[in-house]
Amino acid sequence: MVLVHGEQDGSNDGPVVDYKGNPVDKSKTGGWLAAGLILGSELSERICVMGISMNLVTYLVGDLHISSAKSATIVTNFMGTLNLLGLLGGFVADAKLGRYLTVAISASITALGVILLTLATTIPSMRPPPCDDYRKLHHQCIEANGRQLALLYAALYTTALGGGGIKSNVSGYGSDQFDLSDPKEEKAMIFFFNRFYFCISIGSLFAAIVLVYIQDNVGRGWGYGISAATMVIAVAVLLCGTPWYRFKKPQGSPLTVIWRVVFLALKQRNQPYPSHPSLLNDYENRKVPYTERYKCLDKAAILDDNFAANTNKNTNSWIVSTVTQVEEVKMVLKLLPIWSTCILFWTIYSQMTTFTVEQATIMNRKIGSFEIPPGSLSAFLFISILLFTSLNEKVFVPLARRITHTVQGITSLQRIGIGLVLSMAAMVAAAIVEKERREMAVNGNVKISAFWLVFQYFLVGSGEAFAYVGQLEFFIREAPDRMKSMSTGLFLSTISMGFYVSSLLVTIVDSVTKNTWLRNNLNRGKLNNFYWLLAALGFFNFWIFLFFASRHQYKMQMPIQPESPQKELKSFNDEMIDDKEKIAAFQAVGNAEP
């Protein structure tokens, strides 16, 4: 039996204990078994969310008679809110509940949301009267009213609330099950994020193929009901696995630390900088290296002469911050430039859940006598994700290791860069395919095969395999250790902002072009121009990303700054005295009679 007393798990966010609060037994807790049970919640959440987002637009347009542009905005706002609420989930976990309770409660809320969605799409009074050929006669169809949309919105945003709490904590809680100070567990941890994303992509694939087919051909209620049942089972599995988990107690909200450091830096902005960083508060006990970047924040850790000698005031965080706290805030600020350049990837990705599905509805989807549901074509998105996630682990990373002679092989920023390039290529392919599709439909009255959409699905999916893993790894690795949940929420906020930017772009383009690009009848619109716009924005965004990435210094590369000259001299003298004592003892032993 191996008991680990106060194990830090490679981080600074508190000792690791079992569910009884005792030091963990590494032979009975943690590892892939515990991580797998935890990731079941994210797998089920992905089944629920993908089952909703990949096919919701067809329900909004076809059953509720809402315009294509407005339907796309509803979907992207839902996905944006879901990911934005990841920040709230991370805050709650870090400040009070811890990751385990937050995941358990959030999964229960998600189950409730999907149950409400099942009711909203099943009750006949929640839909307007049916309308044949709604694309051509949309102006004659009765659009869903506010009362009918109320239950739908309540269901969607309840699901979003729960999903945000799961997303922001599952990956961090799963990584808590590995001890980075143990070489064996550290090796297992290297592929954790890759395998984590591989597993949840299987859930997405199941949603795109099975659930979308059931929604379109059996009934929406059955499709969403299966999703709700899946989440209920996931909650039960998570709770049953409690004895095998490793727990870290919440250390307080990092948002409070960030606000406090910024407040004190502004309050003490007129204070002169000390002659050496070692004169800053609690410099000798810092847990992270001191850096010169964002030096203005150092003023939060300046000891005022009025209370420099007062120990009680030195430890009061509302009077003066420690160097560790200031450096942690600096780490978060260093993430923001990369954060901003990741947003557009998810703006491009969001098109796979909206306009690409709309394209599929008016293309030839038949294989023999079987007609593929429009939303099920997104299966190619997830197949490409699974393919490239496997290639990353089995081919690309081992090959990169041989070339770079590093354990990581491909860095997180390199993964993100590859994802951005592939997303640009996807929009170029989407623009070309849409132009050909519209010309064939208008001039030749021919429906081209929906499998032409595979190009954009494949490129976005392969890009996501790189970008998602790269971004998740970047934000978790580069953020302060005790801010793991918040850093995951920060990553999710890039996805959120991507969907919101998509909604904003749709609104602006629809207004500027006077409803000529994005029309309910895509044959009369110019959707290809919208795709070209996204490709151009992606090109400029990529060069901005390269600028920021080339200047980013990884956390592990930060040099530890030397101590003050006085401390260095004292350390040197202590070492000399220690060496003299060792030499004297050695000589005494050598001169002793046998």
Side-chain angles (χ1 to χ4, degrees):
M1 180 184 295
V2 182
L3 292 177
V4 183
H5 296 272
E7 177 196 347
Q8 293 297 310
D9 221 17
S11 67
N12 298 321
D13 55 350
V16 181
V17 297
D18 62 16
Y19 73 107
K20 294 182 179 179
N22 300 319
V24 296
D25 180 352
K26 288 177 62 175
S27 65
K28 295 181 179 179
T29 61
W32 280 111
L33 173 61
L37 294 175
I38 293 166
L39 295 184
S41 300
E42 176 63 14
L43 175 66
S44 298
E45 184 270 343
R46 181 56 67 98
I47 289 174
C48 292
V49 171
M50 289 298 107
I52 295 170
S53 63
M54 287 298 172
N55 205 33
L56 182 61
V57 70
T58 60
Y59 178 76
L60 296 174
V61 174
D63 292 68
L64 301 187
H65 311 146
I66 300 172
S67 69
S68 295
K70 186 178 178 180
S71 296
T73 300
I74 291 173
V75 175
T76 51
N77 283 345
F78 160 66
M79 292 297 291
T81 302
L82 184 147
N83 288 286
L84 185 63
L85 286 170
L87 282 173
L88 175 62
F91 173 83
V92 170
D94 287 335
K96 191 68 176 178
L97 296 182
R99 295 178 189 127
Y100 170 74
L101 278 178
T102 304
V103 171
I105 294 172
S106 298
S108 303
I109 293 173
T110 302
L112 174 62
V114 183
I115 291 171
L116 290 175
L117 185 61
T118 305
L119 296 175
T121 55
T122 303
I123 300 174
S125 60
M126 292 293 102
R127 297 188 300 272
C131 180
D132 296 332
D133 208 1
Y134 56 90
R135 294 185 185 280
K136 294 181 180 179
L137 303 174
H138 186 82
H139 61 283
Q140 297 180 6
C141 298
I142 300 174
E143 185 174 325
N145 57 39
R147 183 183 64 82
Q148 292 170 328
L149 290 175
L151 182 58
L152 178 71
Y153 285 145
L156 289 177
Y157 289 101
T158 300
T159 304
L161 176 63
I166 295 172
K167 282 180 174 293
S168 60
N169 291 285
V170 162
S171 57
Y173 190 40
S175 66
D176 285 345
Q177 308 309 309
F178 300 92
D179 177 11
L180 297 186
S181 64
D182 184 330
K184 184 179 179 180
E185 293 197 18
E186 182 184 19
K187 185 177 180 181
M189 177 66 181
I190 291 173
F191 289 115
F192 169 73
F193 294 112
N194 219 45
R195 292 176 182 174
F196 157 67
Y197 196 56
F198 181 89
C199 290
I200 63 175
S201 295
I202 291 177
S204 300
L205 186 63
F206 172 80
I209 294 176
V210 179
L211 292 184
V212 169
Y213 178 83
I214 292 174
Q215 290 167 16
D216 284 358
N217 294 277
V218 180
R220 292 272 169 176
W222 281 101
Y224 295 138
I226 292 172
S227 297
T230 302
M231 184 53 70
V232 170
I233 293 171
V235 174
V237 170
L238 177 72
L239 296 177
C240 289
T242 302
W244 291 288
Y245 302 146
R246 298 175 186 175
F247 299 83
K248 292 182 180 179
K249 294 181 179 179
Q251 301 295 301
S253 170
L255 294 178
T256 304
V257 175
I258 294 171
W259 154 248
R260 201 159 47 205
V261 168
V262 173
F263 170 76
L264 289 173
L266 290 172
K267 181 181 178 182
Q268 302 187 152
R269 61 186 179 277
N270 295 325
Q271 289 278 0
Y273 289 105
S275 58
H276 191 275
S278 63
L279 299 176
L280 294 171
N281 185 39
D282 205 34
Y283 180 85
E284 64 278 2
N285 296 320
R286 68 195 189 283
K287 296 179 181 179
V288 292
Y290 172 79
T291 59
E292 292 284 341
R293 201 171 186 182
Y294 302 117
K295 192 175 180 179
C296 59
L297 294 176
D298 288 352
K299 293 195 174 184
I302 292 178
L303 293 166
D304 191 285
D305 293 337
N306 296 327
F307 58 85
N310 190 324
T311 305
N312 292 331
K313 289 185 177 180
N314 291 1
T315 57
N316 187 331
S317 297
W318 283 106
I319 295 178
V320 62
S321 298
T322 65
V323 170
T324 298
Q325 292 169 340
V326 171
E327 289 302 320
E328 287 177 338
V329 176
K330 289 181 182 181
M331 287 184 191
V332 173
L333 290 178
K334 283 179 62 180
L335 301 178
L336 296 183
I338 301 298
W339 174 89
S340 65
T341 56
C342 292
I343 291 173
L344 199 66
F345 176 87
W346 299 106
T347 299
I348 291 173
Y349 174 88
S350 68
Q351 310 314 311
M352 301 301 104
T353 65
T354 54
F355 290 118
T356 302
V357 178
E358 279 286 278
Q359 286 176 276
T361 59
I362 54 176
M363 297 173 76
N364 182 9
R365 293 174 278 111
K366 288 187 176 180
I367 301 178
S369 59
F370 177 75
E371 187 172 54
I372 302 173
S376 290
L377 285 168
S378 59
F380 292 103
L381 175 72
F382 304 117
I383 289 172
S384 62
I385 291 172
L386 292 170
L387 174 63
F388 276 86
T389 304
S390 299
L391 289 175
N392 276 338
E393 182 172 333
K394 302 298 183 182
V395 179
F396 299 145
V397 172
L399 182 62
R401 282 175 177 168
R402 293 180 184 179
I403 297 173
T404 63
H405 304 290
T406 60
V407 175
Q408 198 174 4
I410 304 175
T411 67
S412 54
L413 289 178
Q414 288 170 343
R415 291 175 189 264
I416 295 171
I418 294 170
L420 292 178
V421 170
L422 289 170
S423 68
M424 281 188 289
M427 288 299 94
V428 172
I432 294 171
V433 169
E434 172 58 14
K435 184 175 182 296
E436 292 299 317
R437 184 208 64 76
R438 185 166 55 84
E439 288 183 354
M440 292 288 289
V442 173
N443 299 327
N445 197 26
V446 175
K447 288 185 177 182
I448 67 171
S449 173
F451 288 100
W452 283 101
L453 299 175
V454 170
F455 288 107
Q456 59 210 64
Y457 275 127
F458 182 81
L459 288 168
V460 170
S462 57
E464 186 182 354
F466 285 99
Y468 189 105
V469 175
Q471 289 176 38
L472 183 60
E473 181 182 8
F474 176 79
F475 285 107
I476 286 184
R477 281 180 176 267
E478 294 301 297
D481 291 321
R482 66 173 176 170
M483 297 186 182
K484 191 177 290 185
S485 292
M486 194 207 75
S487 63
T488 307
L490 190 63
F491 155 64
L492 292 172
S493 69
T494 65
I495 304 177
S496 169
M497 294 305 296
F499 280 98
Y500 284 138
V501 168
S502 177
S503 297
L504 179 62
L505 276 177
V506 168
T507 302
I508 293 173
V509 168
D510 207 33
S511 175
V512 171
T513 64
K514 301 186 186 303
N515 196 28
T516 58
W517 282 17
L518 308 175
R519 305 188 67 172
N520 295 327
N521 188 339
L522 295 184
N523 292 338
R524 296 180 180 179
K526 295 181 180 179
L527 179 60
N528 55 303
N529 288 348
F530 183 67
Y531 286 149
W532 281 119
L533 174 63
L534 287 173
L537 292 174
F539 177 79
F540 289 114
N541 179 73
F542 177 69
W543 285 104
I544 296 171
F545 166 79
L546 289 180
F547 175 82
F548 289 135
S550 64
R551 285 159 177 75
H552 180 80
Q553 187 179 37
Y554 284 104
K555 186 168 66 174
M556 298 304 294
Q557 295 174 342
M558 293 181 186
I560 297 178
Q561 299 295 322
E563 301 284 350
S564 64
Q566 295 86 351
K567 290 187 177 181
E568 288 177 348
L569 180 60
K570 182 179 183 301
S571 177
F572 177 76
N573 290 334
D574 290 343
E575 289 177 4
M576 290 296 292
I577 293 170
D578 187 48
D579 287 343
K580 288 178 181 178
E581 291 175 351
K582 289 179 180 177
I583 293 170
F586 178 76
Q587 290 175 340
V589 172
N591 294 332
E593 293 291 336

